Amino acid sequence: MELTSKGYTLGGLDLLGVAKEFGSPLYVYDANQIVANYHQLKNAFSGVDVHLKYACKALTNISILKLLKKEGAGLDTVSLEEARTGIKAGYEPSEILFTPNCICFDEIRQAVELGLIINIDELSTLERFGSEYGGKVPCCIRLNPHIMAGGNSHISVGHIDSKFGISIYQVPHIKRIVENYGIKVNGLHMHTGSDILDADVFLRGAKLLYEAANSFPELEFMDFGSGFKVKYREGDVTADVEKIGAEIVASFKEFCKSYGRDLQLWFEPGKFLVSNAGFLLVDVNVVKQTTSTVFAGVNSGQNHLLRPMMYGAYHHIDNLSNPTGTDRIYSIVGYICESDTFGFDRRLNEVRVGDILAIHNAGAYGFSMSSNYNSRPRPAEVMIYKKKAHLIRKREDLDYILQNQLELDM
Ligand SMILES: *Cc1c(COP(=O)(O)O)cnc(C)c1O
């Protein structure tokens, strides 16, 4: 998003004009930014055969999936529904990694039938997989290297008590199952969580995976997951992906040499690809002065963007309608009957009823975590692609909310 003499623009388009055309609340994504993010990350790992599997739970709109497919991405999916959306968007099943957790085995069967790459993260599931598919269908194994990423237990999924992955200490057990059933293990996987700043977390995990690789002679790829920290506010320290890339590439090359074969290196970025490309545009309904605070109440809430309330995440907010107005302090809150605060004590250009605010970093885990709480419809989604604003999801309405509800005769 850029501030020009004519106001705020995104992808070269006037954002207020976009809000006027499609209404608010509105999710707006800049395709150019997503494409740039993809190539920045891919280029950071040049020197090895790197593949990016977009973790599409971050933003699952089929048009976003198509956009990344065009750039050469694969997909990381956590449900059959995500995988099927990916296939519909044009991905080959063989480009789609299926990394579920605690699902019923029948879904793994369906994933095998679809031809997805299966990632197994639990021992009894591996045994069952072996007894049905051993010698026939390969699988990847999700290991838990027990590394704390990001320092926040909500977003760290590789620590000792995490429900994800098979402990790195259980590799001998994995090996026994694999040998017994003749399972071909084609990949090793780890994903330690979000907000990783430096190469150290990846390298510590990588080292453990390299060691484990000695037990699996048929590997084709290593998947180091994701968690690249992105910028949420001015002054935020962010992942230096070029530096991380150079260090990991060097260590991976060395590993391949000792393994005896060049493997593919995979990552599964979600946030890094889409977070800064998305904005949630909202309308100011009320400016309410209380004894201590000035609230700006908007036509959205935790039903549309949950991260500030769920993770205490900071999302920068700008007033698009009054870019030169005098700064005042506001708490920006939603219209849901909960304390759904988007931002405390923010300095914004003076906010008036009817102004449009833009909430930043709404590309990742924004729409995809939204709900119909308070029976509110979810926003429309628009993608700015080739200098035009395209509607990529219609706004919901009451009919949508009622469509699966059945009225009992009483
Ligand atoms: C959520 C998730 C990702 C993406 O994480 P980001 O922090 O959005 O990059 C990657 N891999 C797996 C297995 C995930 O669950």
Side-chain angles (χ1 to χ4, degrees):
M1 195 170 99
E2 247 183 290
L3 181 55
T4 70
S5 58
K6 292 197 191 94
Y8 285 99
T9 62
L10 184 68
L13 296 193
D14 165 38
L15 263 179
L16 278 179
V18 173
K20 204 165 187 184
E21 184 178 351
F22 297 94
S24 96
L26 185 71
Y27 273 100
V28 186
Y29 312 114
D30 179 9
N32 286 342
Q33 184 68 56
I34 296 173
V35 169
N37 293 342
Y38 175 82
H39 290 289
Q40 187 196 354
L41 196 60
K42 184 130 204 270
N43 292 337
F45 294 93
S46 60
V48 292
D49 188 10
V50 68
H51 294 249
L52 301 185
K53 305 280 175 189
Y54 170 48
C56 67
K57 71 177 190 286
L59 172 56
T60 327
N61 188 292
I62 192 163
S63 294
I64 303 286
L65 268 51
K66 274 178 94 162
L67 175 74
L68 280 161
K69 164 73 188 157
K70 252 184 87 201
E71 296 306 309
L75 281 189
D76 177 50
T77 59
V78 293
S79 68
L80 286 172
E81 289 74 12
E82 281 187 358
R84 290 199 170 103
T85 307
I87 291 169
K88 195 151 187 272
Y91 291 81
E92 293 296 329
S94 60
E95 300 172 307
I96 303 177
L97 180 64
F98 184 56
T99 306
N101 179 259
C102 294
I103 61 166
C104 97
F105 195 79
D106 190 54
E107 290 201 20
I108 293 187
R109 284 194 197 104
Q110 292 182 53
V112 170
E113 270 159 39
L114 283 174
L116 310 180
I117 307 158
I118 311 293
N119 196 1
I120 290 183
D121 96 326
E122 198 268 321
L123 282 172
S124 72
T125 308
L126 182 64
E127 284 194 70
R128 191 140 179 209
F129 185 84
S131 79
E132 292 196 24
Y133 300 110
K136 291 187 286 231
V137 181
C139 74
C140 172
I141 291 182
R142 178 172 190 171
L143 292 170
N144 182 348
H146 305 302
I147 285 169
M148 191 77 167
N152 176 337
S153 61
H154 290 297
I155 52 180
S156 177
V157 294
H159 57 86
I160 193 91
D161 289 329
S162 166
K163 68 167 185 164
F164 297 100
I166 304 175
S167 168
I168 196 94
Y169 302 116
Q170 291 173 308
V171 166
H173 194 167
I174 297 171
K175 207 177 153 189
R176 293 230 312 275
I177 296 170
V178 164
E179 285 171 359
N180 247 288
Y181 291 108
I183 303 170
K184 174 177 170 177
V185 175
N186 58 1
L188 293 182
H189 170 277
M190 67 168 179
H191 171 67
T192 55
S194 263
D195 288 358
I196 298 174
L197 274 175
D198 51 39
D200 188 53
V201 170
F202 284 112
L203 286 174
R204 276 190 291 149
K207 246 185 166 161
L208 295 166
L209 257 63
Y210 297 157
E211 243 169 72
N214 291 325
S215 300
F216 307 101
E218 298 183 287
L219 295 180
E220 289 160 12
F221 63 89
M222 294 280 245
D223 183 341
F224 290 168
S226 179
F228 303 98
K229 185 166 164 59
V230 304
K231 183 163 129 186
Y232 278 87
R233 67 167 107 194
E234 255 345 286
D236 256 3
V237 186
T238 56
D240 181 346
V241 294
E242 281 73 25
K243 189 158 172 283
I244 292 175
E247 290 183 39
I248 291 179
V249 164
S251 101
F252 193 71
K253 276 183 166 167
E254 207 170 293
F255 158 73
C256 288
K257 214 187 266 170
S258 79
Y259 190 72
R261 220 146 26 82
D262 281 343
L263 302 189
Q264 294 183 356
L265 175 60
W266 292 10
F267 287 96
E268 305 164 344
K271 231 183 226 183
F272 189 88
L273 298 187
V274 295
S275 176
N276 69 349
F279 297 83
L280 174 58
L281 307 188
V282 298
D283 229 279
V284 176
N285 285 339
V286 176
V287 178
K288 175 173 182 171
Q289 172 101 50
T290 66
T291 45
S292 61
T293 305
V294 185
F295 289 102
V298 302
N299 65 343
S300 182
Q302 69 179 58
N303 52 330
H304 298 158
L305 180 65
L306 186 59
R307 296 190 77 260
M309 305 85 188
M310 183 161 167
Y311 302 121
Y314 182 97
H315 286 254
H316 184 76
I317 301 170
D318 282 315
N319 184 355
L320 300 186
S321 303
N322 191 15
T324 56
T326 312
D327 281 0
R328 293 191 64 195
I329 311 285
Y330 300 90
S331 281
I332 295 89
V333 295
Y335 60 7
I336 291 297
C337 290
E338 302 276 348
S339 295
D340 55 342
T341 303
F342 286 112
F344 289 103
D345 288 350
R346 298 295 183 83
R347 263 170 74 160
L348 262 73
N349 301 111
E350 185 178 4
V351 174
R352 304 148 310 180
V353 171
D355 281 358
I356 303 277
L357 308 184
I359 305 176
H360 290 232
N361 286 96
Y365 309 107
F367 191 94
S368 69
M369 291 177 84
S370 64
S371 75
N372 290 120
Y373 188 40
N374 281 200
S375 293
R376 292 287 187 181
R378 281 177 288 194
E381 291 179 292
V382 163
M383 175 159 66
I384 298 177
Y385 178 65
K386 295 195 169 160
K387 301 228 156 114
K388 270 180 72 178
H390 303 266
L391 187 65
I392 59 170
R393 185 191 299 266
K394 290 192 267 187
R395 187 177 299 287
E396 292 175 359
D397 56 15
L398 182 60
D399 286 341
Y400 178 96
I401 290 169
L402 287 172
Q403 69 182 353
N404 282 356
Q405 300 186 35
L406 302 173
E407 251 184 286
L408 275 189
D409 280 335
M410 290 180 187

